[in-house]
Amino acid sequence: SSELTQDPAVSVALGQTVRITCQGDSLRSYYASWYQQKPGQAPVLVIYGKNNRPSGIPDRFSGSSSGNTASLTITGAQAEDEADYYCNSRDSSEVVFGGGTKLTVL
Amino acid sequence: QITLKESGPTLVKPTQTLTLTCTFSGFSLSTSGVGVGWIRQPPGKALEWLALIYWNDDKRYSPSLKSRLTITKDTSKNQVVLTMTNMDPVDTATYYCAHRDLGLDAFDIWGQGTMVTVSS
């Protein structure tokens, strides 16, 4: 079965740029989507496809991909961006989530 | 506006079968490209995809749980039902349903989730 690997924790200073990565073989063929989850809340889609943001997601969130690695970049991180972030992709038959990255905004 | 809401028991005993219902509005599961998935999250742990059903009744299951899961849809009631057999305490989790569109290839709208505890 497919697997997606994320760093467990990342920190960023307020206003700085942070990149959260996701690695997996399926990413060579399929785009990742990214979800933000705050404590006690359901996940929220922040990036999908090549680099698309749903309505209401700030443009400081962006996505990119190269080889087997997908990245979520937050340019000018805000205090409200502190959350868990999950990548998600699929292969021909299944869907898979990464293990999540806890983002701390210092 | 798309909304989804999960419902089902909050407590089940080990070995019992769990039945969860996702009731949705704002879209139809008979529309081409539309799907509904189930995802769970044990307390303090990561999201885990469970199952997915599409408008054409194509069904996909997590390989590690496939033998225990069944997903069905009732288009007339706007509902998707997930059953999981032989429940175990490790299945204690918040269970989410979510809307999926083939064009987005992502779960764009999520329900609020329902917490299920497995305990005798």
Side-chain angles (χ1 to χ4, degrees):
Chain A
S1 61
S2 300
E3 290 187 0
L4 295 176
T5 301
Q6 298 182 240
D7 291 328
V10 171
S11 62
V12 61
L14 184 68
Q16 296 303 300
T17 296
V18 62
R19 176 176 291 184
I20 298 170
T21 62
C22 174
Q23 290 188 304
D25 287 341
S26 64
L27 299 177
R28 297 185 184 278
S29 303
Y30 300 98
Y31 289 117
S33 51
W34 291 90
Y35 304 83
Q36 176 192 70
Q37 187 181 35
K38 297 181 180 180
Q41 298 183 17
V44 173
L45 177 67
V46 294
I47 290 289
Y48 67 94
K50 188 174 183 179
N51 180 18
N52 300 294
R53 285 176 288 105
S55 175
I57 301 302
D59 60 6
R60 63 178 178 272
F61 289 88
S62 63
S64 61
S65 185
S66 178
N68 73 335
T69 301
S71 300
L72 172 70
T73 300
I74 306 174
T75 303
Q78 302 300 301
E80 60 263 33
D81 299 334
E82 185 162 291
D84 293 327
Y85 290 86
Y86 294 92
C87 62
N88 169 234
S89 186
R90 66 177 177 94
D91 63 16
S92 58
S93 61
E94 64 180 277
V95 172
V96 62
F97 283 91
T101 297
K102 182 176 182 58
L103 175 66
T104 300
V105 179
L106 303 172
Chain B
Q1 179 193 6
I2 290 175
T3 63
L4 305 98
K5 188 172 184 179
E6 307 86 353
S7 59
T10 57
L11 179 66
V12 297
K13 296 184 185 324
T15 76
Q16 286 186 337
T17 294
L18 172 68
T19 299
L20 294 173
T21 300
C22 176
T23 303
F24 56 84
S25 63
F27 68 96
S28 172
L29 246 184
S30 60
T31 299
S32 179
V34 173
V36 171
W38 285 94
I39 303 100
R40 71 177 179 180
Q41 185 173 39
K45 297 189 176 181
L47 300 172
E48 179 184 18
W49 171 69
L50 301 176
L52 181 56
I53 189 165
Y54 285 107
W55 84 100
N56 58 0
D57 212 35
D58 182 14
K59 301 172 185 178
R60 307 295 174 96
Y61 295 100
S62 166
S64 62
L65 293 167
K66 184 174 184 177
S67 64
R68 299 173 54 205
L69 296 173
T70 302
I71 189 169
T72 60
K73 63 181 174 69
D74 187 330
T75 305
S76 64
K77 293 183 178 179
N78 281 353
Q79 291 181 333
V80 171
V81 175
L82 181 74
T83 61
M84 180 181 292
T85 61
N86 195 23
M87 293 291 285
D88 183 272
V90 301
D91 297 312
T92 293
T94 296
Y95 287 76
Y96 297 97
C97 64
H99 173 271
R100 189 171 180 93
D101 188 298
L102 275 181
L104 274 62
D105 212 11
F107 294 108
D108 58 338
I109 306 294
W110 293 60
Q112 64 189 23
T114 186
M115 179 67 191
V116 178
T117 300
V118 184
S119 174
S120 54

